[in-house]
């Protein structure tokens, strides 16, 4: 009964928000923050209803789900079974006419983490992008029950960055990883990164035995500078186009390539850790990141991704 009640409340909230989008849809006005947020919520309800007709999708609109071009009504449109309730992060950007989102919903009765990007033009959706992480670990799911409060808190006016500054800061994260120099991105000392729910930096104690557990206790900048991520060959399809000045959130998409020709990484600057062996084969990792920027520094990172064969196409070629 409690679950049923929470679902009804969530649907009522979505219905109220959808009215905001419907009202602006019939005008020539740009879809504002509230409109874009409502669009995501109404889109998710339409997914669960398996009915693309519930939202305004332009003729010829493009949909890509986990690198595969599809048509509205395919993929998650067939398998979604419950909308996100307690874990959802919206990043609306009226300037680009886009909205990014990361949330936890149900597919075929099981939890999945969804990153979503929608692009709107003249009141109609022209691009839809789904990134889905399935088979989430128990440790990851424990951190995907509610959103960290820091991610959702509005930014005081004195600590806000401009949209252009936010986009530049978000893009710098990929430069830091690419060059293995944590100083290339403005990480705060308290920066914490989650990936598919798992906390992968700034842990108070090692979350696993061995070198990887030790590296997981380092901060965002220090961890990158050790060389931990030198197994990443390149990061392409970088798209950092969505930012919300009021919340300081930046939404980024990218595609990581790992040839795994070398089965270890050399670690610098960490006592008693000189090398980490890597026991996996070549793979790609399409990913979505949300960065929280306060006072010009990255404080929280919420990331998700899924593995695909090495050198996979992105679906947007």
């Amino acid at each position: 009964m409690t679950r049923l009640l929470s679902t009804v409340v969530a649907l009522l909230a979505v219905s109220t928000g959808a009215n905001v989008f419907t009202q602006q849809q019939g005008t020539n006005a740009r879809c504002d923050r509230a409109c874009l947020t409502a669009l995501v919520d109404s889109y998710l309800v339409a997914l669960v209803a398996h009915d693309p007709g519930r939202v305004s999708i332009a003729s010829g609109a493009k949909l890509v789900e986990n690198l595969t071009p599809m048509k509205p009504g395919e993929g998650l449109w067939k398998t979604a079974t419950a909308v996100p309730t307690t874990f959802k992060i919206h990043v609306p950007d009226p300037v680009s006419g886009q909205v990014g989102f990361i949330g936890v919903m149900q597919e075929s009765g099981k939890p999945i983490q969804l990153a979503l990007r929608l692009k709107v033009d003249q009141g109609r959706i022209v691009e839809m992008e789904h990134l889905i992480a399935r088979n989430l670990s128990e440790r990851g799911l424990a951190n995907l029950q509610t959103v960290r409060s820091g991610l959702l808190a509005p930014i005081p006016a004195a600590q806000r960055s401009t949209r252009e500054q936010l986009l530049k800061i978000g893009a710098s994260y990929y430069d830091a990883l690419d060059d293995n120099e944590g100083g290339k991105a403005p990480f705060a000392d308290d920066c914490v990164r989650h990936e598919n729910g798992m906390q992968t930096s700034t842990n108070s104690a090692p979350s696993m035995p061995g070198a990887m557990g030790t590296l997981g206790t380092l901060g965002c900048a220090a961890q990158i500078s050790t060389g931990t991520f030198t197994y990443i060959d390149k990061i392409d399809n970088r798209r950092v186009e969505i930012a919300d000045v009021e919340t300081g959130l930046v939404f980024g998409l990218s595609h990581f390539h790992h040839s795994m020709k070398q089965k270890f990484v050399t670690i610098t600057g960490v006592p008693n850790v000189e090398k980490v062996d890597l026991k996996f084969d070549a793979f790609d990792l399409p990913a979505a990141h949300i960065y929280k920027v306060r006072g010009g520094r990255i404080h929280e990172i919420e990331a998700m991704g899924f593995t695909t064969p090495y050198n996979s196409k992105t679906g947007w070629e």
Side-chain angles (χ1 to χ4, degrees), residues 18 26 41 45 65 67 89 95 105-106 114 179 199-200 226 242 246 266:
D41 294 340
V45 168
E65 179 174 300
L67 309 187
I89 312 169
V95 176
M105 61 185 299
Q106 299 280 322
L114 170 71
D179 298 333
Q199 184 170 330
T200 55
T226 65
I242 301 172
E246 291 191 22
T266 301

Side-chain angles (χ1 to χ4, degrees), residues 18-270:
N19 289 334
V20 177
F21 173 66
T22 303
Q23 289 165 8
Q24 290 200 8
Q25 182 186 12
T27 72
N28 292 323
R30 175 187 290 169
C31 192
D32 62 17
R33 292 181 70 256
C35 171
L36 289 167
T37 299
L39 174 60
V40 167
D41 294 340
S42 58
Y43 184 88
L44 293 168
V45 168
L47 276 177
V48 172
H50 311 150
D51 183 5
R54 290 194 178 202
V55 286
S56 184
I57 299 175
S59 174
K62 188 163 186 179
L63 165 63
V64 174
E65 179 174 300
N66 280 16
L67 309 187
T68 302
M70 296 181 179
K71 296 179 181 179
E74 299 178 338
L76 193 59
W77 283 99
K78 291 183 177 180
T79 55
T81 51
V83 297
T85 53
T86 60
F87 193 98
K88 44 190 177 180
I89 312 169
H90 299 77
V91 189
D93 183 356
V95 176
S96 67
Q98 298 184 78
V99 56
F101 172 85
I102 291 181
V104 176
M105 61 185 299
Q106 299 280 322
E107 179 189 43
S108 302
K110 296 180 180 180
I112 59 170
Q113 191 171 20
L114 170 71
L116 171 69
R117 180 183 67 86
L118 299 176
K119 184 174 183 178
V120 182
D121 185 35
Q122 296 182 351
R124 294 184 178 275
I125 300 171
V126 294
E127 290 183 1
M128 298 154 280
E129 187 163 3
H130 303 168
L131 281 73
I132 304 169
R134 300 179 170 95
N135 302 317
L136 299 167
S137 70
E138 288 187 15
R139 187 159 66 94
L141 280 170
N143 288 328
L144 293 173
Q145 302 305 305
T146 57
V147 181
R148 287 175 280 170
S149 59
L151 281 161
L152 299 180
I155 301 295
Q159 296 182 34
R160 290 182 182 178
S161 301
T162 66
R163 177 177 179 274
E164 291 71 23
Q165 289 170 334
L166 290 173
L167 296 177
K168 184 176 180 180
I169 289 170
S172 72
Y173 178 76
Y174 304 113
D175 294 331
L177 280 177
D178 223 5
D179 298 333
N180 299 287
E181 293 183 29
K184 287 201 168 184
F187 295 109
D189 291 340
D190 62 357
C191 171
V192 175
R193 183 181 63 249
H194 286 188
E195 300 177 9
N196 290 17
M198 293 183 291
Q199 184 170 330
T200 55
S201 76
T202 329
N203 282 284
S204 58
S207 58
M208 62 183 72
M212 293 304 293
T214 300
L215 293 169
T217 64
L218 300 178
C220 296
Q223 189 184 70
I224 290 174
S225 295
T226 65
T228 303
F229 300 108
T230 53
Y231 65 92
I232 300 172
D233 291 321
K234 63 178 180 178
I235 309 169
D236 58 19
N237 197 29
R238 304 183 193 187
R239 288 166 291 149
V240 186
E241 307 165 347
I242 301 172
D244 179 20
V245 172
E246 291 191 22
T247 59
L249 295 178
V250 188
F251 183 82
L253 295 162
S254 59
H255 193 108
F256 292 72
H257 299 272
H258 317 78
S259 68
M260 302 313 302
K261 292 179 180 178
Q262 182 170 293
K263 295 294 186 180
F264 66 91
V265 292
T266 301
I267 303 299
T268 59
V270 181

Side-chain angles (χ1 to χ4, degrees), residues 3 178 191 197 279 308 312:
R3 178 176 294 180
D178 223 5
C191 171
K279 300 179 181 179
T308 64
S312 296

